[in-house]
């Protein structure tokens, strides 16, 4: 089975511009490809996971990845899939986020000896002359055609700024520059990026001739990645300071039954034959084994095998003891934050990282999704006595300890 055949078999490929040539390049290790990451936060999250795993998979087949950090495009923000304009970030914030991304990516991609690159599009976008852009790049784009793309159509009723309208041109220019500077001949992106990526392929051919070999592929990347990145507790980050290895493990251990096989295929390096065999007997104990395998493999990939083993052991110990274990994730709360030795349940849930906001905590409580010391809590105004350690249970399987210090 070739590398490209495996990508298809795992369900990674959505659309391509020239399947025969693309598969030949990938299978023979001739692709120098890029995937873009806009630095809108100081950590990558599980929404980026599929892209990182794909880059690793293709690099293992001899291809060269370019991780393009959007230090320039991040100044604008991609309107694709957005109902509102993104919050504008300062140059200092963007640079900090770029530095964080580079560090995290090194766990997935081998950057030694020129095997991969990290490139920041701020290096060419921020110094562009506006008139030159209009003459050299803008002339290659049809406004009528751009407005026909779904990424713009869905924003026209709510309002699309001219700032955001230029995002497609900037992303297309990225591919053009990467092609010329680094020999980048292929681009990958999410299924909502198709229009932007086609723009890059067309720009290269218009500027450099039809013989320029610029290939475009989209994956079921963005829609699936965003779905995976949404939980009751908010975003799941790859930074252990934001999402602990245990919580990261628990997230994957608790994915919906219907998504387990899909996640194993898209995100892990478990042999596809083994996954397909598991798929035939996905019931009861076998389903739980598949979830444990998924959680362990992904935690190992992000945090290392030692942390994966710790998380696996802690999870098993917690469930074996009905939710109580010395290895349970614990949040220490300063006595000065208490009111008469107590803390409101909503504040406590947010403080422990079990909910991203009071609003989300309120919804979880009123829907019966929270227990404290084995007692279900349904009153969002309830004050929790913090005199002793408090065991919080969210849903059926997430346990957390809170201790006042």
């Amino acid at each position: 089975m070739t590398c490209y055949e495996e990508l298809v078999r795992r369900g990674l490929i959505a659309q391509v511009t020239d399947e025969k040539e693309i598969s030949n390049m990938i299978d023979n290790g001739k692709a120098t490809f890029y995937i873009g990451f806009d630095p809108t936060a100081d950590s990558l999250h599980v929404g980026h996971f599929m892209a990182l795993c794909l880059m690793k998979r293709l690099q293992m087949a001899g291809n060269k990845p370019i991780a393009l950090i959007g230090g320039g495009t991040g100044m604008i923000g991609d309107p694709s899939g957005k109902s509102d304009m993104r919050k504008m970030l300062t140059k200092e914030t963007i640079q900090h986020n770029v530095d964080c991304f580079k560090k995290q990516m090194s766990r997935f991609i081998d950057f030694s000896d020129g095997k991969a690159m990290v490139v920041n599009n701020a290096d060419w976008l921020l110094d562009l002359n506006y008139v030159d852009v209009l003459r050299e790049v803008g002339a290659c784009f049809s406004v009528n055609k751009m407005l026909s793309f779904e990424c713009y159509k869905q924003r026209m009723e709510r309002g699309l700024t001219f700032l955001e309208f230029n995002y497609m041109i900037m992303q297309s220019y990225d591919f053009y520059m990467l092609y010329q500077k680094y020999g980048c001949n292929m681009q990958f992106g999410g299924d909502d990026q198709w229009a932007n990526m086609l723009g890059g392929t067309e720009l290269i051919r218009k500027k450099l001739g039809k013989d320029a070999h610029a290939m475009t592929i989209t994956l079921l990347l963005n829609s699936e990645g965003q779905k995976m990145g949404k939980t009751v507790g908010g975003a799941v980050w790859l930074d252990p300071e934001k999402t602990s290895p245990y919580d990261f493990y628990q997230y994957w251990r608790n994915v919906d039954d219907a998504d387990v096989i899909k996640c194993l295929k898209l995100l892990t390096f478990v042999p596809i034959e083994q996954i397909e065999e598991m798929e035939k007997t996905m019931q009861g104990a076998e389903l739980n084994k598949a979830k444990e395998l998924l959680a362990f493999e992904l935690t190992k990939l992000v945090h290392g095998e030692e942390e994966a083993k710790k998380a696996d052991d802690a999870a098993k110990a917690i469930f074996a003891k009905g939710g109580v274990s010395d290895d349970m994730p614990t949040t220490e709360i300063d006595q000065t934050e208490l009111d008469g030795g107590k803390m409101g349940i909503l504040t406590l849930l947010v403080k422990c990282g079990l909910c991203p906001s009071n609003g989300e905590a309120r919804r979880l409580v009123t829907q019966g999704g929270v227990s404290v010391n084995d007692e279900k809590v349904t009153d969002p105004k309830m004050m929790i006595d913090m005199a002793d350690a408090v065991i919080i249970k969210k849903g059926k399987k997430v346990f957390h300890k809170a201790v006042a210090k």
Side-chain angles (χ1 to χ4, degrees):
M1 179 171 56
T2 67
C3 179
Y4 185 81
E5 287 172 343
E6 182 171 4
L7 297 182
V8 173
R9 196 165 164 182
R10 287 180 177 270
L12 281 160
I13 305 299
Q15 300 181 78
V16 299
T17 52
D18 188 330
E19 185 168 51
K20 183 178 180 180
E21 186 165 3
I22 286 171
S23 61
N24 178 63
M25 291 171 66
I26 289 175
D27 292 340
N28 290 287
K30 295 181 179 179
T32 297
F33 67 95
Y34 95 89
I35 297 179
F37 301 81
D38 271 353
T40 53
D42 60 359
S43 172
L44 297 164
H45 55 73
V46 297
H48 298 112
F49 211 25
M50 195 182 300
L52 295 168
C53 292
L54 173 73
M55 296 175 84
K56 181 179 179 70
R57 202 180 302 277
L58 290 174
Q59 187 181 51
M60 290 168 63
N63 299 287
K64 182 177 181 178
I66 297 177
L68 179 67
I69 308 296
T73 43
M75 299 289 288
I76 292 180
D78 184 2
S80 301
K82 307 292 187 302
S83 59
D84 297 297
M85 184 173 170
R86 270 185 182 167
K87 179 183 177 181
M88 300 289 280
L89 302 177
T90 65
K91 290 183 179 180
E92 292 75 19
T93 298
I94 290 174
Q95 185 56 53
H96 172 70
N97 295 347
V98 166
D99 295 338
C100 293
F101 276 24
K102 287 180 180 179
K103 183 178 179 180
Q104 291 179 350
M105 285 177 177
S106 64
R107 292 202 66 92
F108 294 82
I109 304 164
D110 181 4
F111 290 102
S112 66
D113 303 321
K115 296 174 184 175
M117 301 176 65
V118 175
V119 177
N120 188 343
N121 65 14
D123 293 344
W124 54 80
L125 290 178
L126 297 188
D127 293 330
L128 282 174
N129 178 284
Y130 184 62
V131 174
D132 288 342
V133 173
L134 292 177
R135 288 174 58 87
E136 300 299 323
V137 183
C140 298
F141 287 82
S142 162
V143 171
N144 289 352
K145 186 173 182 179
M146 291 173 72
L147 290 176
S148 71
F149 291 125
E150 192 62 33
C151 60
Y152 289 132
K153 286 168 62 177
Q154 65 184 357
R155 286 292 305 277
M156 290 300 289
E157 293 183 4
R158 297 185 181 91
L160 176 70
T161 67
F162 183 70
L163 179 73
E164 296 171 290
F165 187 67
N166 280 271
Y167 191 92
M168 181 184 291
I169 294 175
M170 294 176 72
Q171 184 171 331
S172 299
Y173 190 74
D174 282 343
F175 194 21
Y176 173 67
M177 290 299 294
L178 290 170
Y179 181 89
Q180 292 193 96
K181 292 171 69 72
Y182 307 110
C184 181
N185 51 26
M186 194 176 295
Q187 57 180 336
F188 285 77
D191 55 349
D192 65 346
Q193 294 287 305
W194 185 242
N196 292 350
M197 297 198 306
L198 285 179
T201 297
E202 292 180 9
L203 177 62
I204 289 173
R205 291 177 179 173
K206 285 179 179 178
K207 297 291 291 183
L208 303 177
K210 294 183 178 180
D211 292 334
H213 290 286
M215 299 288 105
T216 299
I217 292 181
T218 69
L219 318 174
L220 295 173
L221 177 68
N222 200 277
S223 60
E224 292 297 330
Q226 287 180 346
K227 178 181 177 183
M228 292 171 190
K230 292 178 180 177
T231 65
V232 172
V236 178
W237 304 98
L238 306 193
D239 183 345
E241 296 299 317
K242 291 178 175 289
T243 300
S244 71
Y246 175 84
D247 288 332
F248 187 84
Y249 177 98
Q250 282 295 98
Y251 170 75
W252 296 108
R253 175 63 180 81
N254 295 324
V255 297
D256 291 343
D257 294 354
D259 291 334
V260 178
I261 291 296
K262 181 191 297 182
C263 291
L264 281 168
K265 288 179 179 178
L266 296 176
L267 304 177
T268 75
F269 292 83
V270 175
I272 185 64
E273 295 82 6
Q274 180 181 340
I275 299 172
E276 291 172 342
E277 192 62 32
M278 294 170 64
E279 192 172 8
K280 298 175 184 178
T281 57
M282 283 293 289
Q283 297 181 27
E286 295 303 317
L287 177 61
N288 285 328
K289 287 181 181 179
K291 289 187 175 185
E292 289 174 358
L293 176 64
L294 173 68
F296 182 84
E297 289 296 320
L298 295 186
T299 306
K300 180 175 70 172
L301 186 61
V302 175
H303 299 294
E305 187 165 4
E306 183 178 350
E307 290 296 335
K309 287 180 178 178
K310 286 182 182 178
D312 184 56
D313 291 342
K316 290 175 179 175
I318 288 171
F319 294 131
K321 298 178 182 179
V324 181
S325 170
D326 293 336
D327 297 316
M328 184 185 304
T330 301
T331 297
E332 294 186 353
I333 297 174
D334 196 287
Q335 291 282 355
T336 59
E337 299 182 66
L338 303 181
D339 181 3
K342 298 182 178 181
M343 175 171 280
I345 183 61
L346 304 187
T347 303
L348 184 60
L349 289 169
V350 173
K351 191 73 178 177
C352 292
L354 295 173
C355 290
S357 66
N358 280 356
E360 187 63 38
R362 182 184 301 276
R363 185 190 69 77
L364 186 64
V365 168
T366 56
Q367 291 181 356
V370 175
S371 296
V372 175
N373 294 334
D374 287 332
E375 295 288 336
K376 188 171 289 291
V377 177
T378 57
D379 181 4
K381 295 182 180 179
M382 184 173 181
M383 299 296 290
I384 306 300
D385 189 342
M386 300 298 297
D388 298 310
V390 171
I391 306 299
I392 306 167
K393 181 180 178 183
K394 184 181 79 171
K396 295 181 179 180
K397 300 177 180 179
V398 177
F399 295 90
H400 197 96
K401 184 190 296 183
V403 180
K405 293 290 186 180

